[in-house]
Amino acid sequence: MTVLLYYIELGLSEMTSQASEIVSISIFAFFGVLARIGLDRLAKPIETFQGHPYYSSFFSNLAGCFFIGLFGNLRKSLISTGLTTGFCGCFTTFSGWNHQQALTFFDSSLGTYEKGTSVVTWIVGMFSFVGALSCGKDLGQKLNDMKAPDSSSKLLITIRIMFGLLVVLFSLLCGLFEETR
């Protein structure tokens, strides 16, 4: 009977842990979607060339790759799972970006120049995303390797970084409510 109670308790503990992870991912995913929509709206004039969006969601994917590299170095916790899987997973949208590139390439009304531009932007985009991921990993590793005299100094540095990220996120969210002209 004691063994049965032990396994029931172990199962409940595992279910509670999984539920906590799902809640963490869900909360961070909400902010990831809002940040992507805000950044896409702010970057729309830059991403459009001659009235045709060649770089749809380019900047959100670029920033998302950087954040995936940065947050990937965090030790496993509910916050790191929420940041990497929830926030970064919803901040990036590679399927939408690739879909837009494919539509441009296979659009029969477009000429060779537009199709060639689509291929070039896809290649440049992929190299940019890999570079952003590498930069994020390098910065995350440098932050992990920092020698702080005590744990309170590391905490202050982490709080400053998180505050900076919140300022960036707030700026992106303000793009959601920008007046259209």
Side-chain angles (χ1 to χ4, degrees):
M1 187 67 168
T2 345
V3 173
L4 180 63
L5 288 175
Y6 170 76
Y7 282 113
I8 290 172
E9 185 178 305
L10 185 65
L12 288 175
S13 160
E14 180 68 27
M15 285 176 26
T16 304
S17 173
Q18 288 177 348
S20 298
E21 280 188 354
I22 290 171
V23 168
S24 173
I25 290 169
S26 300
I27 290 169
F28 281 97
F30 174 76
F31 291 107
V33 168
L34 289 177
R36 176 172 43 93
I37 292 170
L39 183 58
D40 285 350
R41 284 190 181 174
L42 288 174
K44 191 171 187 154
I46 300 170
E47 294 175 337
T48 304
F49 178 70
Q50 294 181 351
H52 190 76
Y54 283 108
Y55 280 83
S56 180
S57 298
F58 175 79
F59 291 104
S60 59
N61 287 333
L62 191 68
C65 285
F66 176 80
F67 289 139
I68 288 170
L70 181 68
F71 299 143
N73 289 318
L74 298 174
R75 69 180 162 79
K76 179 87 169 128
S77 68
L78 283 177
I79 292 178
S80 69
T81 302
L83 283 170
T84 54
T85 306
F87 180 80
C88 292
C90 289
F91 189 51
T92 58
T93 174
F94 286 102
S95 62
W97 185 72
N98 281 320
H99 180 255
Q100 188 267 329
Q101 294 294 331
L103 286 178
T104 302
F105 185 74
F106 291 109
D107 187 352
S108 60
S109 68
L110 296 177
T112 309
Y113 175 77
E114 288 86 3
K115 290 181 180 192
T117 304
S118 175
V119 171
V120 169
T121 58
W122 187 82
I123 293 169
V124 168
M126 293 310 290
F127 279 107
S128 300
F129 301 146
V130 170
L133 179 69
S134 297
C135 287
K137 279 184 175 181
D138 288 346
L139 180 61
Q141 190 62 43
K142 295 287 183 204
L143 291 174
N144 279 340
D145 293 344
M146 277 184 11
K147 302 263 190 248
D150 55 13
S151 61
S152 64
S153 295
K154 267 193 173 177
L155 179 64
L156 284 174
I157 291 169
T158 304
I159 289 172
R160 288 178 185 156
I161 291 171
M162 292 305 290
F163 180 74
L165 291 174
L166 285 173
V167 168
V168 169
L169 179 62
F170 179 74
S171 301
L172 295 175
L173 290 175
C174 287
L176 287 173
F177 306 107
E178 182 182 314
E179 247 184 83
T180 56
R181 296 172 193 180

